[in-house]
Short mmCIF file of all heavy atoms in Angstrom, two decimals:
data_model
loop_
_atom_site.label_atom_id
_atom_site.label_comp_id
_atom_site.label_asym_id
_atom_site.label_seq_id
_atom_site.Cartn_x
_atom_site.Cartn_y
_atom_site.Cartn_z
N MET A 1 21.31 15.88 -25.98
CA MET A 1 20.38 14.77 -26.01
C MET A 1 20.78 13.79 -24.90
O MET A 1 21.92 13.46 -24.71
CB MET A 1 20.59 14.02 -27.30
CG MET A 1 19.60 14.03 -28.43
SD MET A 1 18.08 14.82 -28.33
CE MET A 1 16.98 13.52 -28.48
N THR A 2 19.81 13.36 -24.16
CA THR A 2 20.02 12.33 -23.12
C THR A 2 19.43 11.04 -23.56
O THR A 2 18.30 10.98 -24.07
CB THR A 2 19.32 12.77 -21.82
OG1 THR A 2 19.88 14.04 -21.41
CG2 THR A 2 19.58 11.80 -20.72
N VAL A 3 20.20 9.99 -23.43
CA VAL A 3 19.75 8.66 -23.84
C VAL A 3 19.47 7.84 -22.60
O VAL A 3 20.28 7.84 -21.66
CB VAL A 3 20.81 7.97 -24.72
CG1 VAL A 3 20.39 6.57 -25.08
CG2 VAL A 3 21.08 8.82 -25.97
N MET A 4 18.33 7.15 -22.55
CA MET A 4 18.05 6.28 -21.44
C MET A 4 19.04 5.15 -21.41
O MET A 4 19.32 4.54 -22.49
CB MET A 4 16.63 5.70 -21.53
CG MET A 4 15.54 6.74 -21.36
SD MET A 4 15.38 7.33 -19.68
CE MET A 4 14.70 5.89 -18.88
N PRO A 5 19.62 4.82 -20.28
CA PRO A 5 20.61 3.73 -20.24
C PRO A 5 19.93 2.37 -20.41
O PRO A 5 18.76 2.22 -20.07
CB PRO A 5 21.21 3.86 -18.82
CG PRO A 5 20.15 4.53 -18.04
CD PRO A 5 19.42 5.45 -18.97
N SER A 6 20.68 1.45 -20.91
CA SER A 6 20.17 0.09 -21.01
C SER A 6 20.41 -0.56 -19.64
O SER A 6 21.55 -0.76 -19.24
CB SER A 6 20.90 -0.67 -22.11
OG SER A 6 20.46 -2.04 -22.04
N LEU A 7 19.31 -0.92 -18.97
CA LEU A 7 19.46 -1.53 -17.66
C LEU A 7 19.07 -2.98 -17.68
O LEU A 7 18.50 -3.53 -16.74
CB LEU A 7 18.59 -0.76 -16.64
CG LEU A 7 18.99 0.68 -16.45
CD1 LEU A 7 18.04 1.41 -15.51
CD2 LEU A 7 20.38 0.83 -15.96
N ARG A 8 19.33 -3.64 -18.76
CA ARG A 8 19.03 -5.05 -18.89
C ARG A 8 19.94 -5.84 -17.96
O ARG A 8 21.17 -5.85 -18.16
CB ARG A 8 19.23 -5.55 -20.34
CG ARG A 8 18.42 -4.80 -21.34
CD ARG A 8 16.99 -5.19 -21.26
NE ARG A 8 16.23 -4.44 -22.30
CZ ARG A 8 14.99 -4.18 -22.20
NH1 ARG A 8 14.29 -4.59 -21.19
NH2 ARG A 8 14.38 -3.50 -23.14
N LEU A 9 19.34 -6.42 -16.94
CA LEU A 9 20.14 -7.18 -15.95
C LEU A 9 19.87 -8.64 -16.13
O LEU A 9 18.74 -9.01 -16.46
CB LEU A 9 19.75 -6.73 -14.54
CG LEU A 9 19.95 -5.28 -14.15
CD1 LEU A 9 19.40 -5.02 -12.77
CD2 LEU A 9 21.42 -4.91 -14.22
N SER A 10 20.84 -9.47 -15.81
CA SER A 10 20.58 -10.88 -15.76
C SER A 10 19.68 -11.13 -14.54
O SER A 10 19.54 -10.30 -13.68
CB SER A 10 21.91 -11.66 -15.62
OG SER A 10 22.46 -11.42 -14.29
N GLU A 11 19.06 -12.28 -14.55
CA GLU A 11 18.18 -12.59 -13.42
C GLU A 11 18.96 -12.57 -12.11
O GLU A 11 18.47 -12.07 -11.07
CB GLU A 11 17.51 -13.99 -13.60
CG GLU A 11 16.47 -14.26 -12.59
CD GLU A 11 15.62 -15.49 -12.93
OE1 GLU A 11 15.54 -15.87 -14.09
OE2 GLU A 11 15.07 -16.04 -11.95
N GLU A 12 20.19 -13.09 -12.12
CA GLU A 12 21.00 -13.10 -10.92
C GLU A 12 21.36 -11.66 -10.46
O GLU A 12 21.28 -11.34 -9.28
CB GLU A 12 22.30 -13.88 -11.15
CG GLU A 12 23.18 -13.98 -9.92
CD GLU A 12 24.47 -14.75 -10.20
OE1 GLU A 12 24.64 -15.35 -11.26
OE2 GLU A 12 25.33 -14.74 -9.32
N ASP A 13 21.70 -10.80 -11.41
CA ASP A 13 21.99 -9.41 -11.07
C ASP A 13 20.77 -8.68 -10.47
O ASP A 13 20.87 -7.94 -9.52
CB ASP A 13 22.52 -8.62 -12.29
CG ASP A 13 23.92 -9.00 -12.70
OD1 ASP A 13 24.65 -9.60 -11.85
OD2 ASP A 13 24.32 -8.75 -13.81
N ALA A 14 19.61 -8.94 -11.07
CA ALA A 14 18.38 -8.34 -10.59
C ALA A 14 18.07 -8.81 -9.15
O ALA A 14 17.68 -8.01 -8.28
CB ALA A 14 17.22 -8.70 -11.50
N GLN A 15 18.32 -10.09 -8.91
CA GLN A 15 18.09 -10.61 -7.53
C GLN A 15 19.07 -9.98 -6.54
O GLN A 15 18.69 -9.65 -5.41
CB GLN A 15 18.21 -12.13 -7.52
CG GLN A 15 17.05 -12.82 -8.20
CD GLN A 15 17.27 -14.32 -8.34
OE1 GLN A 15 18.38 -14.83 -8.16
NE2 GLN A 15 16.21 -15.03 -8.69
N ASP A 16 20.30 -9.80 -6.99
CA ASP A 16 21.32 -9.17 -6.11
C ASP A 16 20.93 -7.71 -5.78
O ASP A 16 21.02 -7.30 -4.62
CB ASP A 16 22.70 -9.18 -6.78
CG ASP A 16 23.31 -10.56 -6.89
OD1 ASP A 16 22.83 -11.45 -6.16
OD2 ASP A 16 24.26 -10.73 -7.65
N VAL A 17 20.47 -6.98 -6.78
CA VAL A 17 20.02 -5.59 -6.56
C VAL A 17 18.85 -5.57 -5.58
O VAL A 17 18.79 -4.78 -4.65
CB VAL A 17 19.71 -4.87 -7.89
CG1 VAL A 17 19.01 -3.56 -7.65
CG2 VAL A 17 20.95 -4.69 -8.70
N ALA A 18 17.82 -6.44 -5.82
CA ALA A 18 16.68 -6.47 -4.96
C ALA A 18 17.08 -6.85 -3.52
O ALA A 18 16.56 -6.23 -2.56
CB ALA A 18 15.67 -7.49 -5.52
N SER A 19 17.94 -7.80 -3.36
CA SER A 19 18.38 -8.19 -2.05
C SER A 19 19.06 -7.05 -1.31
O SER A 19 18.83 -6.78 -0.12
CB SER A 19 19.36 -9.38 -2.10
OG SER A 19 18.69 -10.53 -2.63
N TYR A 20 19.91 -6.33 -1.99
CA TYR A 20 20.57 -5.15 -1.46
C TYR A 20 19.59 -4.09 -1.02
O TYR A 20 19.64 -3.55 0.05
CB TYR A 20 21.58 -4.57 -2.42
CG TYR A 20 22.14 -3.26 -1.98
CD1 TYR A 20 23.10 -3.20 -0.97
CD2 TYR A 20 21.69 -2.05 -2.52
CE1 TYR A 20 23.63 -1.99 -0.53
CE2 TYR A 20 22.23 -0.83 -2.13
CZ TYR A 20 23.15 -0.84 -1.10
OH TYR A 20 23.66 0.36 -0.65
N LEU A 21 18.61 -3.80 -1.88
CA LEU A 21 17.63 -2.76 -1.55
C LEU A 21 16.78 -3.13 -0.35
O LEU A 21 16.43 -2.27 0.46
CB LEU A 21 16.76 -2.45 -2.77
CG LEU A 21 17.47 -1.80 -3.96
CD1 LEU A 21 16.51 -1.70 -5.17
CD2 LEU A 21 18.01 -0.44 -3.57
N VAL A 22 16.45 -4.40 -0.21
CA VAL A 22 15.66 -4.85 0.95
C VAL A 22 16.45 -4.59 2.28
O VAL A 22 15.88 -4.17 3.24
CB VAL A 22 15.28 -6.31 0.84
CG1 VAL A 22 14.76 -6.88 2.14
CG2 VAL A 22 14.25 -6.49 -0.27
N THR A 23 17.77 -4.69 2.23
CA THR A 23 18.54 -4.41 3.43
C THR A 23 18.56 -2.95 3.78
O THR A 23 18.79 -2.55 4.91
CB THR A 23 20.00 -4.89 3.28
OG1 THR A 23 20.66 -4.07 2.34
CG2 THR A 23 20.11 -6.34 2.90
N LYS A 24 18.26 -2.07 2.80
CA LYS A 24 18.24 -0.65 3.02
C LYS A 24 16.92 -0.10 3.49
O LYS A 24 16.76 1.05 3.82
CB LYS A 24 18.68 0.12 1.82
CG LYS A 24 20.09 -0.21 1.38
CD LYS A 24 21.04 0.19 2.46
CE LYS A 24 22.46 -0.16 2.16
NZ LYS A 24 23.31 0.05 3.34
N ARG A 25 15.88 -0.98 3.47
CA ARG A 25 14.53 -0.56 3.85
C ARG A 25 14.48 -0.19 5.31
O ARG A 25 15.00 -0.92 6.16
CB ARG A 25 13.54 -1.67 3.52
CG ARG A 25 12.12 -1.35 3.82
CD ARG A 25 11.18 -2.36 3.38
NE ARG A 25 11.63 -3.72 3.73
CZ ARG A 25 11.08 -4.82 3.28
NH1 ARG A 25 10.03 -4.77 2.47
NH2 ARG A 25 11.54 -5.98 3.64
N ASP A 26 13.85 0.93 5.61
CA ASP A 26 13.70 1.36 6.98
C ASP A 26 12.45 0.71 7.58
O ASP A 26 11.36 0.81 7.01
CB ASP A 26 13.56 2.90 7.06
CG ASP A 26 13.76 3.43 8.42
OD1 ASP A 26 13.59 2.66 9.41
OD2 ASP A 26 14.07 4.63 8.55
N LYS A 27 12.60 0.01 8.66
CA LYS A 27 11.47 -0.69 9.28
C LYS A 27 10.48 0.22 9.96
O LYS A 27 9.34 -0.07 10.17
CB LYS A 27 11.98 -1.72 10.27
CG LYS A 27 13.01 -2.70 9.73
CD LYS A 27 12.40 -3.67 8.79
CE LYS A 27 13.37 -4.76 8.38
NZ LYS A 27 13.84 -4.76 7.06
N ASP A 28 10.93 1.46 10.34
CA ASP A 28 10.13 2.36 11.09
C ASP A 28 9.73 3.55 10.19
O ASP A 28 10.50 4.45 10.00
CB ASP A 28 10.88 2.87 12.33
CG ASP A 28 10.08 3.88 13.15
OD1 ASP A 28 8.83 4.00 12.94
OD2 ASP A 28 10.67 4.56 13.98
N PRO A 29 8.45 3.55 9.67
CA PRO A 29 8.08 4.62 8.78
C PRO A 29 8.13 6.00 9.39
O PRO A 29 8.22 7.03 8.74
CB PRO A 29 6.62 4.28 8.40
CG PRO A 29 6.35 2.96 8.89
CD PRO A 29 7.44 2.57 9.89
N SER A 30 8.06 6.15 10.71
CA SER A 30 8.08 7.46 11.38
C SER A 30 9.47 8.08 11.22
O SER A 30 9.58 9.30 11.46
CB SER A 30 7.69 7.36 12.82
OG SER A 30 8.67 6.60 13.52
N SER A 31 10.47 7.32 10.84
CA SER A 31 11.81 7.89 10.69
C SER A 31 12.15 8.34 9.25
O SER A 31 13.22 8.78 8.99
CB SER A 31 12.89 6.84 11.14
OG SER A 31 12.89 5.76 10.22
N TYR A 32 11.10 8.23 8.38
CA TYR A 32 11.31 8.67 6.99
C TYR A 32 11.49 10.21 6.98
O TYR A 32 10.93 10.95 7.79
CB TYR A 32 10.15 8.34 6.10
CG TYR A 32 10.02 6.82 5.81
CD1 TYR A 32 8.83 6.27 5.51
CD2 TYR A 32 11.11 5.99 5.89
CE1 TYR A 32 8.69 4.92 5.21
CE2 TYR A 32 11.01 4.64 5.64
CZ TYR A 32 9.80 4.12 5.31
OH TYR A 32 9.70 2.79 5.02
N THR A 33 12.24 10.67 5.99
CA THR A 33 12.47 12.10 5.83
C THR A 33 11.13 12.78 5.47
O THR A 33 10.38 12.24 4.66
CB THR A 33 13.49 12.33 4.73
OG1 THR A 33 14.68 11.64 5.04
CG2 THR A 33 13.81 13.82 4.57
N ASP A 34 10.90 13.94 6.02
CA ASP A 34 9.69 14.68 5.73
C ASP A 34 9.64 15.02 4.28
O ASP A 34 10.60 15.53 3.67
CB ASP A 34 9.65 15.97 6.55
CG ASP A 34 8.43 16.82 6.25
OD1 ASP A 34 7.32 16.23 6.16
OD2 ASP A 34 8.58 18.03 6.05
N ALA A 35 8.47 14.72 3.64
CA ALA A 35 8.32 15.01 2.19
C ALA A 35 7.12 15.86 1.96
O ALA A 35 6.47 15.81 0.89
CB ALA A 35 8.24 13.70 1.43
N SER A 36 6.73 16.69 2.95
CA SER A 36 5.54 17.53 2.80
C SER A 36 5.69 18.52 1.69
O SER A 36 4.69 19.01 1.13
CB SER A 36 5.23 18.21 4.14
OG SER A 36 6.30 19.03 4.52
N TYR A 37 6.93 18.83 1.27
CA TYR A 37 7.16 19.74 0.18
C TYR A 37 6.55 19.21 -1.11
O TYR A 37 6.26 19.97 -2.08
CB TYR A 37 8.63 20.06 -0.03
CG TYR A 37 9.46 18.85 -0.45
CD1 TYR A 37 9.59 18.53 -1.80
CD2 TYR A 37 9.99 17.98 0.48
CE1 TYR A 37 10.33 17.46 -2.19
CE2 TYR A 37 10.74 16.87 0.08
CZ TYR A 37 10.88 16.61 -1.25
OH TYR A 37 11.60 15.51 -1.64
N MET A 38 6.30 17.90 -1.19
CA MET A 38 5.73 17.28 -2.41
C MET A 38 4.29 17.73 -2.64
O MET A 38 3.74 17.55 -3.71
CB MET A 38 5.82 15.76 -2.32
CG MET A 38 7.22 15.23 -2.31
SD MET A 38 8.10 15.55 -3.81
CE MET A 38 7.34 14.34 -4.86
N ASP A 39 3.66 18.31 -1.62
CA ASP A 39 2.26 18.79 -1.76
C ASP A 39 2.20 20.19 -2.35
O ASP A 39 1.09 20.75 -2.53
CB ASP A 39 1.55 18.77 -0.38
CG ASP A 39 1.42 17.34 0.15
OD1 ASP A 39 1.24 16.42 -0.65
OD2 ASP A 39 1.49 17.17 1.39
N ASP A 40 3.32 20.79 -2.60
CA ASP A 40 3.41 22.17 -3.12
C ASP A 40 2.88 22.23 -4.56
O ASP A 40 3.44 21.56 -5.44
CB ASP A 40 4.86 22.64 -3.07
CG ASP A 40 5.06 24.06 -3.58
OD1 ASP A 40 4.09 24.71 -3.98
OD2 ASP A 40 6.21 24.53 -3.58
N PRO A 41 1.80 22.99 -4.84
CA PRO A 41 1.28 23.06 -6.15
C PRO A 41 2.23 23.64 -7.18
O PRO A 41 2.22 23.23 -8.36
CB PRO A 41 0.04 23.96 -6.04
CG PRO A 41 -0.13 24.32 -4.63
CD PRO A 41 1.04 23.75 -3.87
N GLN A 42 3.10 24.51 -6.79
CA GLN A 42 4.12 25.10 -7.72
C GLN A 42 5.10 23.99 -8.15
O GLN A 42 5.53 23.94 -9.28
CB GLN A 42 4.86 26.26 -7.07
CG GLN A 42 4.12 27.55 -7.11
CD GLN A 42 3.78 27.93 -8.54
OE1 GLN A 42 2.59 27.97 -8.88
NE2 GLN A 42 4.76 28.22 -9.36
N LEU A 43 5.48 23.14 -7.21
CA LEU A 43 6.39 22.02 -7.54
C LEU A 43 5.71 21.11 -8.53
O LEU A 43 6.38 20.59 -9.48
CB LEU A 43 6.76 21.30 -6.24
CG LEU A 43 7.80 20.18 -6.40
CD1 LEU A 43 9.13 20.73 -6.91
CD2 LEU A 43 7.99 19.48 -5.08
N LYS A 44 4.44 20.83 -8.34
CA LYS A 44 3.69 19.98 -9.29
C LYS A 44 3.70 20.60 -10.65
O LYS A 44 3.97 19.90 -11.65
CB LYS A 44 2.25 19.75 -8.81
CG LYS A 44 1.49 18.84 -9.69
CD LYS A 44 0.08 18.67 -9.21
CE LYS A 44 -0.72 17.85 -10.20
NZ LYS A 44 -2.10 17.69 -9.86
N LYS A 45 3.44 21.90 -10.75
CA LYS A 45 3.43 22.59 -12.05
C LYS A 45 4.78 22.50 -12.74
O LYS A 45 4.88 22.27 -13.94
CB LYS A 45 3.02 24.05 -11.80
CG LYS A 45 1.62 24.38 -12.14
CD LYS A 45 1.44 25.85 -11.98
CE LYS A 45 0.91 26.39 -13.26
NZ LYS A 45 -0.20 27.28 -13.15
N GLU A 46 5.84 22.71 -11.94
CA GLU A 46 7.16 22.62 -12.48
C GLU A 46 7.48 21.21 -13.04
O GLU A 46 8.05 21.07 -14.09
CB GLU A 46 8.19 23.00 -11.40
CG GLU A 46 9.63 23.00 -11.85
CD GLU A 46 9.99 24.19 -12.66
OE1 GLU A 46 9.21 25.14 -12.84
OE2 GLU A 46 11.11 24.13 -13.21
N GLY A 47 7.08 20.23 -12.28
CA GLY A 47 7.30 18.83 -12.73
C GLY A 47 6.54 18.52 -14.01
O GLY A 47 7.06 17.89 -14.95
N GLU A 48 5.26 18.98 -14.12
CA GLU A 48 4.49 18.75 -15.29
C GLU A 48 5.15 19.43 -16.50
O GLU A 48 5.16 18.86 -17.61
CB GLU A 48 3.09 19.30 -15.11
CG GLU A 48 2.23 18.48 -14.19
CD GLU A 48 0.90 19.03 -13.88
OE1 GLU A 48 0.62 20.21 -14.23
OE2 GLU A 48 0.06 18.34 -13.25
N LYS A 49 5.71 20.60 -16.27
CA LYS A 49 6.35 21.33 -17.38
C LYS A 49 7.52 20.46 -17.94
O LYS A 49 7.67 20.35 -19.15
CB LYS A 49 6.91 22.66 -16.87
CG LYS A 49 7.70 23.46 -17.91
CD LYS A 49 8.29 24.71 -17.33
CE LYS A 49 9.68 24.41 -16.80
NZ LYS A 49 10.42 25.63 -16.39
N TRP A 50 8.31 19.90 -17.06
CA TRP A 50 9.48 19.12 -17.49
C TRP A 50 9.12 17.80 -18.10
O TRP A 50 9.75 17.35 -19.04
CB TRP A 50 10.49 18.95 -16.36
CG TRP A 50 11.16 20.26 -16.06
CD1 TRP A 50 11.03 20.97 -14.93
CD2 TRP A 50 12.08 20.97 -16.87
NE1 TRP A 50 11.80 22.14 -15.04
CE2 TRP A 50 12.43 22.13 -16.19
CE3 TRP A 50 12.62 20.70 -18.16
CZ2 TRP A 50 13.30 23.06 -16.76
CZ3 TRP A 50 13.47 21.65 -18.69
CH2 TRP A 50 13.83 22.77 -18.00
N VAL A 51 8.01 17.21 -17.60
CA VAL A 51 7.57 15.93 -18.18
C VAL A 51 7.11 16.18 -19.60
O VAL A 51 7.42 15.41 -20.53
CB VAL A 51 6.42 15.31 -17.34
CG1 VAL A 51 5.73 14.22 -18.07
CG2 VAL A 51 6.96 14.79 -15.99
N ARG A 52 6.40 17.30 -19.84
CA ARG A 52 5.96 17.62 -21.20
C ARG A 52 7.19 17.99 -22.06
O ARG A 52 7.26 17.58 -23.21
CB ARG A 52 5.00 18.81 -21.13
CG ARG A 52 3.63 18.42 -20.76
CD ARG A 52 2.60 19.52 -20.96
NE ARG A 52 1.31 19.03 -20.56
CZ ARG A 52 0.79 19.16 -19.36
NH1 ARG A 52 1.47 19.81 -18.43
NH2 ARG A 52 -0.40 18.71 -19.08
N HIS A 53 8.11 18.76 -21.52
CA HIS A 53 9.29 19.21 -22.30
C HIS A 53 10.11 18.04 -22.79
O HIS A 53 10.54 17.99 -23.94
CB HIS A 53 10.16 20.12 -21.44
CG HIS A 53 11.40 20.57 -22.06
ND1 HIS A 53 11.47 21.54 -23.02
CD2 HIS A 53 12.69 20.11 -21.91
CE1 HIS A 53 12.74 21.67 -23.40
NE2 HIS A 53 13.45 20.85 -22.77
N PHE A 54 10.33 17.08 -21.93
CA PHE A 54 11.19 15.92 -22.31
C PHE A 54 10.38 14.79 -22.90
O PHE A 54 10.99 13.78 -23.38
CB PHE A 54 12.00 15.44 -21.09
CG PHE A 54 13.09 16.40 -20.74
CD1 PHE A 54 13.05 17.07 -19.54
CD2 PHE A 54 14.19 16.57 -21.54
CE1 PHE A 54 14.05 17.97 -19.18
CE2 PHE A 54 15.19 17.46 -21.20
CZ PHE A 54 15.11 18.15 -20.02
N GLY A 55 9.03 14.88 -22.87
CA GLY A 55 8.21 13.86 -23.48
C GLY A 55 8.26 12.51 -22.72
O GLY A 55 8.10 11.47 -23.32
N CYS A 56 8.43 12.62 -21.43
CA CYS A 56 8.56 11.36 -20.61
C CYS A 56 7.37 10.43 -20.78
O CYS A 56 7.52 9.22 -20.78
CB CYS A 56 8.67 11.74 -19.10
SG CYS A 56 10.09 12.83 -18.80
N ALA A 57 6.16 11.04 -20.95
CA ALA A 57 4.94 10.23 -21.06
C ALA A 57 4.88 9.47 -22.39
O ALA A 57 3.99 8.64 -22.59
CB ALA A 57 3.67 11.11 -20.88
N GLY A 58 5.77 9.75 -23.31
CA GLY A 58 5.83 9.04 -24.53
C GLY A 58 6.26 7.59 -24.35
O GLY A 58 5.83 6.69 -25.08
N CYS A 59 7.00 7.32 -23.31
CA CYS A 59 7.50 5.98 -23.01
C CYS A 59 7.00 5.45 -21.67
O CYS A 59 6.87 4.23 -21.47
CB CYS A 59 9.04 5.92 -23.01
SG CYS A 59 9.74 6.32 -24.58
N HIS A 60 6.73 6.37 -20.72
CA HIS A 60 6.35 5.97 -19.37
C HIS A 60 4.90 6.28 -19.14
O HIS A 60 4.36 7.28 -19.64
CB HIS A 60 7.20 6.74 -18.36
CG HIS A 60 8.66 6.51 -18.52
ND1 HIS A 60 9.30 5.41 -17.99
CD2 HIS A 60 9.61 7.25 -19.15
CE1 HIS A 60 10.59 5.49 -18.32
NE2 HIS A 60 10.80 6.59 -19.03
N GLU A 61 4.20 5.45 -18.39
CA GLU A 61 2.82 5.70 -17.97
C GLU A 61 2.84 6.62 -16.78
O GLU A 61 3.34 6.24 -15.71
CB GLU A 61 2.12 4.38 -17.61
CG GLU A 61 1.86 3.51 -18.79
CD GLU A 61 1.12 2.24 -18.41
OE1 GLU A 61 0.37 2.26 -17.43
OE2 GLU A 61 1.24 1.26 -19.15
N ILE A 62 2.35 7.82 -16.95
CA ILE A 62 2.36 8.83 -15.94
C ILE A 62 0.92 9.37 -15.75
O ILE A 62 0.29 9.85 -16.72
CB ILE A 62 3.28 10.01 -16.25
CG1 ILE A 62 4.73 9.48 -16.50
CG2 ILE A 62 3.28 11.08 -15.13
CD1 ILE A 62 5.66 10.53 -16.98
N SER A 63 0.42 9.18 -14.57
CA SER A 63 -1.00 9.62 -14.27
C SER A 63 -1.21 11.03 -14.66
O SER A 63 -0.40 11.94 -14.28
CB SER A 63 -1.26 9.38 -12.79
OG SER A 63 -2.58 9.77 -12.47
N GLY A 64 -2.27 11.30 -15.41
CA GLY A 64 -2.59 12.66 -15.77
C GLY A 64 -2.06 13.04 -17.18
O GLY A 64 -2.38 14.08 -17.70
N PHE A 65 -1.25 12.15 -17.78
CA PHE A 65 -0.65 12.44 -19.06
C PHE A 65 -1.12 11.44 -20.12
O PHE A 65 -0.48 11.27 -21.19
CB PHE A 65 0.88 12.42 -18.98
CG PHE A 65 1.44 13.59 -18.25
CD1 PHE A 65 1.56 13.56 -16.87
CD2 PHE A 65 1.87 14.70 -18.96
CE1 PHE A 65 2.09 14.66 -16.21
CE2 PHE A 65 2.41 15.80 -18.26
CZ PHE A 65 2.49 15.79 -16.89
N GLU A 66 -2.25 10.75 -19.85
CA GLU A 66 -2.71 9.72 -20.77
C GLU A 66 -3.05 10.23 -22.14
O GLU A 66 -2.89 9.52 -23.14
CB GLU A 66 -3.94 9.06 -20.16
CG GLU A 66 -3.71 8.28 -18.89
CD GLU A 66 -3.79 9.14 -17.62
OE1 GLU A 66 -3.99 10.37 -17.73
OE2 GLU A 66 -3.61 8.60 -16.54
N ASN A 67 -3.52 11.51 -22.24
CA ASN A 67 -3.91 12.01 -23.51
C ASN A 67 -2.94 12.99 -24.15
O ASN A 67 -3.25 13.72 -25.10
CB ASN A 67 -5.29 12.74 -23.37
CG ASN A 67 -6.35 11.77 -22.94
OD1 ASN A 67 -6.43 10.64 -23.41
ND2 ASN A 67 -7.21 12.18 -22.00
N GLU A 68 -1.73 13.01 -23.60
CA GLU A 68 -0.70 13.88 -24.17
C GLU A 68 -0.24 13.37 -25.52
O GLU A 68 -0.22 12.15 -25.75
CB GLU A 68 0.52 13.91 -23.21
CG GLU A 68 0.30 14.71 -21.96
CD GLU A 68 0.22 16.22 -22.23
OE1 GLU A 68 1.02 16.76 -23.02
OE2 GLU A 68 -0.71 16.82 -21.71
N GLY A 69 0.21 14.25 -26.35
CA GLY A 69 0.78 13.87 -27.62
C GLY A 69 2.14 13.15 -27.39
O GLY A 69 2.78 13.35 -26.36
N ARG A 70 2.52 12.33 -28.30
CA ARG A 70 3.75 11.61 -28.17
C ARG A 70 4.87 12.31 -28.96
O ARG A 70 4.62 12.89 -30.00
CB ARG A 70 3.60 10.16 -28.70
CG ARG A 70 2.47 9.39 -28.02
CD ARG A 70 2.83 9.16 -26.57
NE ARG A 70 1.84 8.34 -25.93
CZ ARG A 70 1.34 8.55 -24.73
NH1 ARG A 70 1.72 9.61 -24.05
NH2 ARG A 70 0.43 7.78 -24.18
N ILE A 71 6.08 12.21 -28.44
CA ILE A 71 7.24 12.74 -29.12
C ILE A 71 7.88 11.61 -29.89
O ILE A 71 8.06 10.48 -29.32
CB ILE A 71 8.22 13.36 -28.11
CG1 ILE A 71 7.63 14.59 -27.47
CG2 ILE A 71 9.56 13.65 -28.73
CD1 ILE A 71 8.50 15.25 -26.43
N GLY A 72 8.23 11.83 -31.12
CA GLY A 72 8.88 10.77 -31.89
C GLY A 72 8.05 10.30 -33.03
O GLY A 72 6.99 10.89 -33.33
N PRO A 73 8.48 9.27 -33.72
CA PRO A 73 7.84 8.84 -34.99
C PRO A 73 6.54 8.08 -34.76
O PRO A 73 5.86 7.83 -35.75
CB PRO A 73 8.88 7.94 -35.62
CG PRO A 73 9.65 7.37 -34.47
CD PRO A 73 9.70 8.50 -33.46
N ILE A 74 6.15 7.74 -33.58
CA ILE A 74 4.94 6.93 -33.33
C ILE A 74 3.73 7.77 -33.47
O ILE A 74 3.58 8.83 -33.05
CB ILE A 74 5.02 6.21 -31.98
CG1 ILE A 74 6.20 5.26 -31.96
CG2 ILE A 74 3.72 5.48 -31.70
CD1 ILE A 74 6.40 4.56 -30.69
#
């Protein structure tokens, strides 16, 4: 069983994380790593399988899973 971690941050901690992430942003989009593999239909099918298996859409809003059954007591 995997449990989602509690990521409750204080406002100051959240601001610190956001400030750090902004410094890591690449200003030149042409230097981003190629992600053309994300267009692979087999990869999409594999992802959908795991989202259904773990019931991710039970807690998270995921496009295309709006009408999926929920896992758990709800």
Side-chain angles (χ1 to χ4, degrees):
M1 252 358 242
T2 302
V3 177
M4 292 288 290
S6 173
L7 299 176
R8 303 285 181 205
L9 300 175
S10 68
E11 188 169 337
E12 182 181 351
D13 287 341
Q15 289 173 346
D16 290 344
V17 169
S19 296
Y20 170 75
L21 292 175
V22 167
T23 68
K24 297 299 177 189
R25 181 173 45 190
D26 194 340
K27 306 290 188 248
D28 179 15
S30 66
S31 68
Y32 290 155
T33 304
D34 177 46
S36 59
Y37 66 91
M38 296 294 285
D39 296 326
D40 180 1
Q42 278 304 113
L43 184 62
K44 180 180 177 185
K45 261 185 122 131
E46 181 74 10
E48 288 174 350
K49 177 184 91 172
W50 288 111
V51 167
R52 281 191 181 92
H53 175 78
F54 288 112
C56 303
C59 298
H60 303 277
E61 290 183 25
I62 303 173
S63 178
F65 288 85
E66 296 85 357
N67 298 319
E68 286 290 315
R70 303 293 184 224
I71 291 178
I74 296 176

